[in-house]
Amino acid sequence: MQEWDGVDGYIVDKLLGDDRELTEVLEANAAAGLPAIDVSPAQGKLLHLLARCMNARRVLEVGTLGGYSTIWLVRALPGDGHVVTLELDPHHAEVARANFERARVNQKIDVREGPALKSLEDLAREAQMFDLVFIDADKQNNARYVQAALEVARSGALIIVDNVVREGRVLDERPPDPATLGTRQLFDMIAAEPRLDATAIQTVGVKKWDGFLMAIVK
Ligand code: SAH
Ligand code: DHB
Ligand code: MG
C-alpha cells in the first residue's frame, strides 16, 4: 500500500536520516544482481536498537545476503564485539564481504559460507556463545535454526526471526508452500519449547505486510 510506503519514508526522514554507507550497500547489492529482500531501514534500526538494549557483544545472523542487516547490527556493538553471519550463496557472501570492507566493519564480521545448519553445528562444537541471534534465511528451516540457536545462545539471549507473517500466508494458503509450512513449524516448535518465552509482531511498510518473532532464552 502506498500509504505504508509513505509513512515508512516519513519515519526514515525524521528518525534515521541519510545514511550514505547503507545506501552504498543497497546500491552495490543491486549492481551485483542481489534480490532486494534486505530488512527495511526502520527494521534495521530496530535490530540495532535491540542489540543495544541487550548490551550485545556477540551476534549471530543466519542469512547474510549483502550484509545490510549485518551492518545495522555490527554498529550496535562495542569495540571488542563481533558478528558471525551465515550465508549459503558464495556470490552473496562475496558481495557482503566487499560491503563490509567498504564500510570498514570487516574486522568485526565473520562470514561463514555454506548451509547454515552445518555452520551452526560448527559453532556449537567451537562452544561459541551469542547474546542475540537474527534468523533471516530459508524459511522452511526456521524451526531447525531456532533449535540450533538454543545450543549457542546464552541464558537471557534474544532470538529474532524475520518474515513470519508474509502477507498473512501463515494462516491462509492451502496447500501451504514450503516457507509457510516452515513458519507454522516454527510457531509449533516455539509454543512447545519450555526454554523460550516469545511473541510475534506484525509490521507494515516498504516490505508490505509481514512480521517478526522474538524470543528470550530463559
Ligand atoms: N539478512 C539479510 C537478508 C537475508 S535474505 C538482510 O536483511 O540484509 C536471505 C539469505 O539467506 C539469502 O542471501 C540466501 O542466500 C540465504 N540462505 C538461504 N538458504 C540458506 C541456507 N540454507 N544457509 C545459509 N544461508 C541461506
Ligand atoms: C524473502 C526473504 C526475506 O528474508 C525477506 O525479508 C523477504 C523475502 C524471500 O525469500 O522472498
Ligand atoms: Mg527477511
Side-chain angles (χ1 to χ4, degrees):
M1 284 232 307
Q2 205 181 334
E3 285 157 284
W4 299 347
D5 288 16
V7 175
D8 241 0
Y10 178 79
I11 291 167
V12 169
D13 271 2
K14 290 287 175 190
L15 305 179
L16 277 67
D18 275 340
D19 197 316
R20 202 172 51 83
E21 250 173 37
L22 285 168
T23 304
E24 280 174 8
V25 168
L26 295 181
E27 286 169 1
N29 291 356
L34 268 50
I37 55 174
D38 343 71
V39 296
S40 73
Q43 289 168 334
K45 180 78 181 274
L46 174 65
L47 290 173
H48 169 92
L49 293 175
L50 288 170
R52 282 169 55 188
C53 288
M54 293 295 296
N55 278 318
R57 199 168 62 77
R58 303 152 301 182
V59 170
L60 171 62
E61 176 176 68
V62 182
T64 316
L65 191 65
Y68 179 82
S69 53
T70 325
I71 292 179
W72 273 115
L73 286 163
V74 80
R75 283 177 175 180
L77 307 185
D80 64 346
H82 72 271
V83 181
V84 178
T85 184
L86 314 181
E87 176 54 55
L88 176 67
D89 187 314
H91 179 54
H92 295 182
E94 184 192 333
V95 174
R97 286 196 183 99
N99 286 336
F100 298 151
E101 274 182 36
R102 193 180 336 91
R104 287 196 229 94
V105 288
N106 50 307
Q107 293 195 334
K108 294 171 104 170
I109 303 174
D110 175 6
V111 184
R112 296 203 180 184
E113 244 175 84
L117 285 172
K118 160 77 170 57
S119 301
L120 283 158
E121 278 174 25
D122 295 343
L123 290 168
R125 208 172 309 111
E126 294 164 23
Q128 294 231 24
M129 285 304 250
F130 296 93
D131 308 304
L132 188 156
V133 182
F134 177 51
I135 299 174
D136 189 21
D138 50 328
K139 313 308 170 193
Q140 64 268 32
N141 276 319
N142 270 340
R144 280 176 280 269
Y145 291 147
V146 172
Q147 281 295 349
L150 279 170
E151 302 305 311
V152 294
R154 69 158 165 92
S155 171
L158 179 64
I159 300 176
I160 303 165
V161 187
D162 195 27
N163 311 116
V164 300
V165 176
R166 298 298 282 277
E167 304 197 67
R169 286 202 289 279
V170 62
L171 286 189
D172 262 12
E173 218 162 86
R174 256 163 280 180
D177 57 71
T180 301
L181 214 57
T183 303
R184 291 181 194 161
Q185 286 166 351
L186 169 75
F187 276 91
D188 290 343
M189 179 251 141
I190 289 182
E193 176 51 73
R195 288 176 289 176
L196 290 172
D197 209 3
T199 188
I201 293 294
Q202 301 185 66
T203 55
V204 295
V206 291
K207 303 288 170 170
K208 302 191 214 163
W209 174 25
D210 210 327
F212 60 91
L213 184 145
M214 58 192 283
I216 291 274
V217 182
K218 289 186 199 161

